[in-house]
Amino acid sequence: MSLLGQLNQDMKDAMRAKDKARLSVIRMVKAAIQNESIKKGDELDSEEELTVLSREFKQRKESMVEFKSAEREDLVASLEAELQVIEHYLPTQLTEEEVLVIVDEVIAETGASSKADFGKVMKVILPKVKGKADGSLISKLLKQKLS
């Protein structure tokens, strides 16, 4: 079942359960996917749906950092709940150790040896971990390895 189909089914389930918070998040994610589909002018494949889902997750995570720094605990709590719902649809996230193994493999594969090779290595890593690892974590680990 496609992500959009899963979202439709879960939306119905949330309506039946009268789970307004979950329903709201599912509707937002579904709308984001549909808007992207309209922009493209065609249905999204699973890779593109995953990209939209990852973007929604990242936006909320960044907002949560801002709300925490502003000491808005009420908003932080609601964002944490939204993140949990979105995380349900994302593939299982790689651990830092797993990402480190991939970074090491790609560095060896590309022959990277300095910070100048950063972009070349990222270009190879990102498709391998799409939706499974945070870009900032990859960037941090790669910078440590190339310095």
Side-chain angles (χ1 to χ4, degrees), residues 11-111:
M11 189 170 72
K12 290 175 191 174
D13 294 342
M15 280 185 217
R16 286 185 195 113
K18 298 184 182 356
D19 187 348
K20 290 181 181 180
R22 188 163 186 257
L23 178 61
S24 173
V25 175
I26 292 171
R27 281 182 171 156
M28 283 189 281
V29 170
K30 187 175 173 228
I33 290 172
Q34 288 173 329
N35 287 339
E36 195 69 27
S37 178
I38 291 168
K39 272 189 214 172
K40 182 181 175 191
D42 195 15
E43 295 240 345
L44 301 180
D45 61 22
S46 60
E47 186 85 12
E48 292 165 326
E49 287 178 338
L50 183 60
T51 300
V52 173
L53 194 60
S54 296
R55 183 176 57 225
E56 292 294 311
F57 186 80
K58 183 179 178 187
Q59 286 173 351
R60 283 168 178 76
K61 209 159 182 124
E62 289 171 355
S63 295
M64 195 164 70
V65 170
E66 294 297 320
F67 291 149
K68 278 184 179 178
S69 68
E71 296 180 11
R72 293 292 311 268
E73 294 305 318
D74 55 326
L75 297 174
V76 169
S78 69
L79 275 178
E80 283 175 344
E82 287 183 22
L83 285 171
Q84 285 178 345
V85 172
I86 295 172
E87 203 168 29
H88 172 75
Y89 299 101
L90 286 171
T92 305
Q93 297 295 296
L94 298 172
T95 65
E96 189 169 329
E97 292 79 27
E98 292 170 324
V99 173
L100 195 54
V101 168
I102 293 170
V103 167
D104 287 338
E105 287 173 0
V106 173
I107 287 174
E109 180 183 310
T110 59

